[in-house]
Amino acid sequence: MDVSTFALIGLGTGAINVLLAAGLVLIYRGSGVINFAHGGFALLGAFIVMDLRTQHDMSWPLALGAAVIATAVAGLLVQALVMRPLRTASPLARVIATLGVLTVLIQGVLLEYGAEQRTVPLPVPSGPVRIASDVVVGKQNFYLVAIAVVVVVALSVTTFRTRIGNALTASAENSRAAAALGWSPNLLAALTWGLGGALAGLAGALFPATSTGFISIAQMSVLIVGGLATALLAQFRSYYLALAGGLAIGIIQALTTRYVDQTGVADAVPFLVIVVVLVVRGKGLPVRGTAADRLPRVGTGRAHPAVVVPIAVAAIALLRFATPGDWYPALIVSICFAVIGLSAVVLTGYAGQLSLAQFALGGAGAYVAGRLAAARGWPFELALLAGVVGAMVLGLLFGLPALRTRGVNLAVVTFGLGFALHQILFSNSDYTGGEFQTKPSSLHFFGVDVDPISHADNYSLLCAVWFIVLALVVATVRRGRVGRRLLAVRTNERAAAAIGVSVLQNKLYAFVLSAGIAGVGGVLFGFSYPTVLYQQLFVPDRSITVLVITVIGGVGYLGGPVLGALLVPGGIAVLLFDTSSAASTTDDGFARFVPLLTGIVLVVMLIANQNGLVDQLWQPLRRLGSRWAGEQRFTVAPGPRSAVAAKSLEVRGVTQTFGTFTALTEVSVTIAPGQVVGVLGPNGAGKTTLIDVITGYNRPDSGAIILDQQDITAWPPHRRARAGLVRSFQSLELFDDLTVRENLLASSEKQDLLAYLTGLFHAGTPRLTDTVSTAVEELELTDVLHQRPEELSYARRRLVAIARAIAARPSVLLLDEPAAGLDEYESAELGRLIRRLADDWGIGVLLIEHDVKLVLDNSDRVVVLEFGRVIAEGTPSDIRHSDVVRRAYLGENPELVEPLETGGGVQAAVG
């Protein structure tokens, strides 16, 4: 039977997936890093075995041992030289570093062995095995499965049955706690990187058994796709899930090869299944307590015309009149990569979404434009526009997983989607023109001949103009309302939703806008060749290259793609270092080493300054600007303040459970306009959970949230915030990428859809509203408006958080421990401000605090929680004299009752 035969054939590929995934899971458990360089380790192991067996006639066991040891040493070196220096960097920076390591490994093997296919003796016994009368498969598949099973069992037993395995698990959860128990996190990380590298080397050495003895760099560069998909199915935790998932993926691939007559589907479908799994399993917003990555610094987007215009004119004049003719091809390549790099600035730099599909999206734009121009005869202008629209539509689809997953998982998903696009569309000649291929002819742009062969000067000028225009658009976005929204989402999705920013809208907007920019770059890059060879030009690895060069230059700066594009293979770097254009195209030229150097530069740059070269060059000017800003003071004129909309809030019988734990039980609270309701309770009483339920971060199991007589229980957080239900956070959760002033602007600005369009062309002149100005004056923040929150003391950061909540003009304000970290004087001032918000502004306030005196002195009514239940409710006087409250807080110690009755805090009573 074909089904049984091909399912058994798929076991071999599945076993390789399992071995790769086991190494990925091991490294992740020990160091918390998803290692994109894992496929590079496998490639290294495969070619070491090939070299030792074919060139040095070494036996299989010795060659395998040498390859495993070599890849283990490579893993140890990566941990010691790259990961350890980056141990305090963000997870995103460490993942990008593995991309640099991957580049170094692939290019090193390419320089040593070349790109041609090699033959190596099979690593395990082969030959047919008859399972049934009509089912015959190669015995090597069963050997591979047996090896995979042994490895998985050994890893599982070691992980869960030994002290060192328990230490690895503890270190993955909390490295500091593991260190406190006597285990060195660095030693554990080195151990996992060494063993993980060895497993990758083993997988690479065994790979020829699945390919009848043939290996090549192109063939093995996609191995990481199956390994990553398998590890994702295993949630980067379970080796047994990796075993089941890897074998299942291998079987699906084999069956798809047999029954689906479509190029690339066998490689792409399993990953598309993983996308679905991740999306279903993901969360719309991060849960409380999720740490936000510290991403690379972002520029201001300010571009003074007096500086920009002369530079742009000089660059265009130099390009047009002073550039040697043989430089144009390299210039076009670098400019096109810089354009696509701008898309990474928008998506990763501004919105914080790590995508490894930007070049694939550019290829989609080139595909639409190329087919319309070549097959339908569309003029270049219309074809370019159609290509951009096509890329934007695909960008919208690629952005959908970002609504349910984020960070490195999103990088894996986007890489898989880009890989699927390449395998299914770009590699299928039926879709790319067949024997006629895609050959745009007679390129004119508004009457100007821009043929890249006969008029390369005009074409390079066209590319440069497009870069300048798009750079100005990106700069405008950064300075405007949408830029502040994107940076709010990038910094903290929960806090962004709390001020009315739709995380969904802004993520999709970033994907669509970046895809449009990538579409322009892709069309220009594809059309720079007489024939648009999609399979060769838009390979998945180039999406990694775009991100790498942009991070080197500075992913948060407009100049980042420009500097990074100098290192693009075939780009300007070849011209800068080679003495002749001929050298750049020969095997002995410097061009061969550019990709290798790019990977090395990326790793060094991340270790030295993950913000990029532009940030390094900009630091002296930033220090000068900081001194200037310190001398300049924003003038704040509160003026007359408009009234907020009066709305009441009612919490009706809310119950919230987490598994078997009940956090809230039938809790009811009512807050009228202009009323302060305090909530007291010990740690774990459910106070913050109550705020999370009210503001939409948790969906209650039962009960209802009523705002102004309207049931909002099903509303998302940002919609509640726009309706006037605003909160602060116990952990502050400020936008550290924005200044204090920008934090307040992001909270106070209108969250309209039109800004997504107008913000492309006009940033506007943001002004502080009367509400914001009043809050700034009340909280004495005028002198720090130009600073970033991370530069302030904790007490002032907390005041900024309160001001940001007030800036949203709430009808009901929920304050979660606003006095934490404040001294006695500041707490008293805060209490007076809370009373003014209620008495003068008409805002209803829910005040959650451990400072009992602050709550009792400033509340109209007080609710006391214990273990998720309301145990007392009434006026501050009622609470002071409540026997139930005394017992809950102070037990049966009568000598501690006096401070509570006189309004003192619990801390004072027990201290």
Side-chain angles (χ1 to χ4, degrees):
M1 294 176 60
D2 281 352
V3 172
S4 300
T5 301
F6 277 86
L8 292 173
I9 291 174
L11 290 177
T13 301
I16 300 299
N17 291 338
V18 172
L19 293 173
L20 288 170
L24 287 168
V25 171
L26 181 62
I27 290 174
Y28 184 81
R29 290 181 65 92
S31 62
V33 176
I34 295 180
N35 179 26
F36 276 88
H38 209 61
F41 291 146
L43 178 70
L44 180 62
F47 274 82
I48 288 176
V49 169
M50 181 275 300
D51 184 72
L52 293 177
R53 297 210 67 191
T54 59
Q55 302 300 319
H56 301 280
D57 199 27
M58 185 177 288
S59 66
W60 158 249
L62 290 178
L64 175 64
V68 169
I69 292 173
T71 51
V73 171
L76 288 171
L77 289 175
V78 170
Q79 197 280 328
L81 301 179
V82 180
M83 293 297 122
R84 186 170 181 177
L86 290 173
R87 62 187 179 276
T88 58
S90 70
L92 183 62
R94 286 180 284 165
V95 167
I96 293 174
T98 67
L99 296 176
V101 174
L102 174 65
T103 302
V104 171
L105 290 171
I106 290 178
Q107 295 304 318
V109 172
L110 180 63
L111 290 172
E112 178 65 24
Y113 297 107
E116 63 271 12
Q117 191 176 64
R118 302 295 187 99
T119 304
V120 61
L122 293 182
V124 293
S126 60
V129 173
R130 184 175 297 278
I131 306 300
S133 59
D134 56 351
V135 178
V136 180
V137 295
K139 65 172 68 174
Q140 68 269 18
N141 296 298
F142 300 104
Y143 279 101
L144 294 179
V145 171
I147 294 171
V149 170
V150 170
V151 167
V152 165
V153 171
L155 286 173
S156 297
V157 171
T158 303
T159 299
F160 300 108
R161 300 294 179 87
T162 65
R163 288 187 61 212
I164 194 168
N166 292 331
L168 286 172
T169 302
S171 181
E173 296 292 335
N174 190 321
S175 60
R176 291 184 179 180
L181 295 175
W183 291 96
S184 168
N186 290 325
L187 177 62
L188 294 173
L191 177 63
T192 55
W193 274 91
L195 291 177
L199 286 173
L202 175 63
L206 294 174
F207 173 76
T210 67
S211 60
T212 62
F214 294 101
I215 61 171
S216 69
I217 293 178
Q219 188 181 20
M220 296 193 66
S221 62
V222 300
L223 274 182
I224 189 62
V225 175
L228 282 172
T230 302
L232 282 171
L233 271 181
Q235 302 180 46
F236 284 93
R237 288 184 175 275
S238 171
Y239 297 109
Y240 288 120
L241 283 179
L243 176 63
L247 294 179
I249 288 176
I251 292 172
I252 292 173
Q253 287 179 305
L255 292 176
T256 305
T257 301
R258 172 64 181 86
Y259 291 104
V260 178
D261 186 18
Q262 173 67 54
T263 302
V265 172
D267 296 321
V269 167
F271 215 107
L272 296 179
V273 173
I274 304 308
V275 171
V276 175
V277 171
L278 273 180
V279 171
V280 171
R281 199 168 61 198
K283 295 282 187 181
L285 286 174
V287 297
R288 177 171 19 125
T290 300
D293 289 352
R294 189 69 181 95
L295 298 174
R297 190 178 287 119
V298 177
T300 62
R302 298 191 184 97
H304 198 284
V307 177
V308 174
V309 173
I311 292 178
V313 171
I316 291 175
L318 185 65
L319 186 64
R320 182 64 180 84
F321 300 109
T323 301
D326 55 356
W327 278 40
Y328 285 119
L331 285 170
I332 291 170
V333 170
S334 284
I335 296 173
C336 290
F337 270 80
V339 171
I340 300 177
L342 284 176
S343 73
V345 171
V346 172
L347 189 58
T348 303
Y350 293 171
Q353 307 303 302
L354 182 56
S355 169
L356 293 178
Q358 294 309 104
F359 215 86
L361 292 171
Y367 174 79
V368 173
R371 297 309 304 148
L372 290 175
R376 303 290 181 180
W378 281 35
F380 183 38
E381 302 90 340
L382 290 180
L384 174 61
L385 177 61
V388 171
V389 172
M392 293 173 76
V393 172
L394 192 61
L396 177 65
L397 298 177
F398 275 35
L400 292 177
L403 306 182
R404 301 286 293 176
T405 187
R406 52 189 53 81
V408 292
N409 280 350
L410 180 61
V412 175
V413 170
T414 53
F415 181 75
L417 291 173
F419 176 78
L421 183 67
H422 179 268
Q423 297 298 99
I424 295 174
L425 182 62
F426 299 158
S427 300
N428 193 326
S429 60
D430 293 338
Y431 296 151
T432 57
E435 60 179 315
F436 300 102
Q437 300 181 320
T438 300
K439 299 180 179 180
S441 59
S442 184
L443 291 187
H444 289 78
F445 196 78
F446 292 108
V448 178
D449 191 341
V450 292
D451 185 274
I453 305 302
S454 59
H455 292 85
D457 53 345
N458 289 343
Y459 195 83
S460 63
L461 186 63
L462 174 68
C463 294
V465 169
W466 268 111
F467 176 83
I468 293 171
V469 170
L470 292 174
L472 291 175
V473 169
V474 174
T476 304
V477 169
R478 166 61 186 95
R479 297 195 310 273
R481 282 182 289 167
V482 175
R484 287 185 282 275
R485 296 177 193 173
L486 293 177
L487 287 172
V489 170
R490 152 192 154 121
T491 308
N492 193 307
E493 293 180 22
R494 284 169 54 85
I499 61 172
V501 174
S502 171
V503 174
L504 180 151
Q505 287 179 6
N506 284 277
K507 282 187 175 183
L508 291 182
Y509 177 81
F511 267 96
V512 171
L513 177 59
S514 69
I517 296 172
V520 174
V523 172
L524 295 175
F525 181 68
F527 277 56
S528 67
Y529 295 86
T531 302
V532 186
L533 301 174
Y534 298 100
Q535 185 177 12
Q536 288 77 31
L537 294 179
F538 297 99
V539 293
D541 291 349
R542 282 187 166 162
S543 289
I544 295 177
T545 301
V546 165
L547 183 64
V548 165
I549 61 133
T550 307
V551 170
I552 289 174
V555 75
Y557 295 88
L558 297 177
V562 178
L563 289 183
L566 299 177
L567 297 174
V568 171
I572 297 176
V574 174
L575 304 176
L576 295 179
F577 290 96
D578 279 0
T579 57
S580 67
S581 60
S584 67
T585 59
T586 64
D587 289 340
D588 298 325
F590 177 78
R592 301 173 61 233
F593 299 95
V594 170
L596 177 65
L597 291 177
T598 300
I600 295 173
V601 170
L602 172 67
V603 173
V604 172
M605 190 70 248
L606 286 172
I607 294 173
N609 181 358
Q610 65 173 301
N611 298 313
L613 288 171
V614 172
D615 182 80
Q616 193 73 31
L617 298 173
W618 198 255
Q619 282 183 3
L621 293 177
R622 184 185 298 111
R623 286 192 289 269
L624 179 63
S626 297
R627 286 196 295 269
W628 178 83
E631 297 170 357
Q632 302 294 319
R633 289 292 182 267
F634 289 101
T635 58
V636 178
R641 178 186 49 76
S642 55
V644 299
K647 296 182 180 181
S648 61
L649 173 69
E650 184 180 357
V651 180
R652 295 180 183 171
V654 164
T655 296
Q656 176 73 67
T657 62
F658 300 101
T660 59
F661 174 71
T662 301
L664 297 173
T665 303
E666 294 292 329
V667 174
S668 297
V669 179
T670 300
I671 305 171
Q675 183 183 51
V676 178
V677 175
V679 178
L680 294 173
N683 287 330
K687 302 184 299 296
T688 299
T689 300
L690 176 61
I691 282 189
D692 284 345
V693 170
I694 293 173
T695 50
Y697 294 93
N698 291 336
R699 185 73 177 268
D701 299 287
S702 62
I705 310 298
I706 308 299
L707 180 65
D708 198 29
Q709 306 303 314
Q710 186 172 7
D711 190 338
I712 63 170
T713 309
W715 287 14
H718 74 275
R719 186 178 176 189
R720 302 187 193 203
R722 293 179 186 180
L725 186 58
V726 180
R727 67 172 294 177
S728 69
F729 291 89
Q730 181 178 345
S731 55
L732 303 186
E733 306 199 17
L734 295 169
F735 307 131
D736 286 332
D737 293 318
L738 300 173
T739 64
V740 171
R741 182 171 182 267
E742 288 177 315
N743 267 267
L744 302 180
L745 286 170
S747 181
S748 62
E749 288 171 330
K750 183 180 179 182
Q751 301 293 332
D752 59 316
L753 295 176
L754 186 60
Y756 292 121
L757 178 61
T758 60
L760 297 174
F761 314 105
H762 180 61
T765 304
R767 298 184 183 278
L768 299 180
T769 65
D770 55 351
T771 303
V772 177
S773 299
T774 302
V776 168
E777 285 292 312
E778 292 275 5
L779 297 172
E780 300 179 354
L781 297 174
T782 306
D783 60 328
V784 297
L785 288 176
H786 65 283
Q787 294 181 263
R788 296 176 187 267
E790 62 185 359
E791 300 170 352
L792 306 179
S793 67
Y794 182 80
R796 299 207 83 175
R797 283 169 58 86
R798 185 158 287 282
L799 296 178
V800 172
I802 296 171
R804 188 184 68 184
I806 296 173
R809 294 182 55 79
S811 298
V812 180
L813 177 61
L814 313 179
L815 298 175
D816 192 357
E817 298 195 22
L822 303 184
D823 59 28
E824 185 177 352
Y825 169 78
E826 291 168 331
S827 293
E829 284 295 313
L830 175 62
R832 286 189 283 272
L833 172 63
I834 291 172
R835 281 303 338 165
R836 286 196 296 274
L837 292 176
D839 298 336
D840 300 340
W841 297 35
I843 297 175
V845 179
L846 181 70
L847 174 61
I848 289 180
E849 255 300 334
H850 281 295
D851 187 340
V852 179
K853 177 174 171 47
L854 176 66
V855 173
L856 296 180
D857 286 352
N858 296 284
S859 299
D860 298 301
R861 295 186 63 80
V862 178
V863 175
V864 182
L865 294 177
E866 184 183 33
F867 299 117
R869 296 178 180 272
V870 176
I871 62 171
E873 182 176 2
T875 66
S877 177
D878 295 335
I879 300 302
R880 284 191 178 99
H881 298 90
S882 169
D883 292 335
V884 175
V885 176
R886 287 193 199 130
R887 286 194 296 271
Y889 267 93
L890 306 173
E892 300 298 330
N893 301 301
E895 69 276 9
L896 299 180
V897 175
E898 176 72 19
L900 182 64
E901 292 181 337
T902 58
V906 173
Q907 296 91 335
V910 300

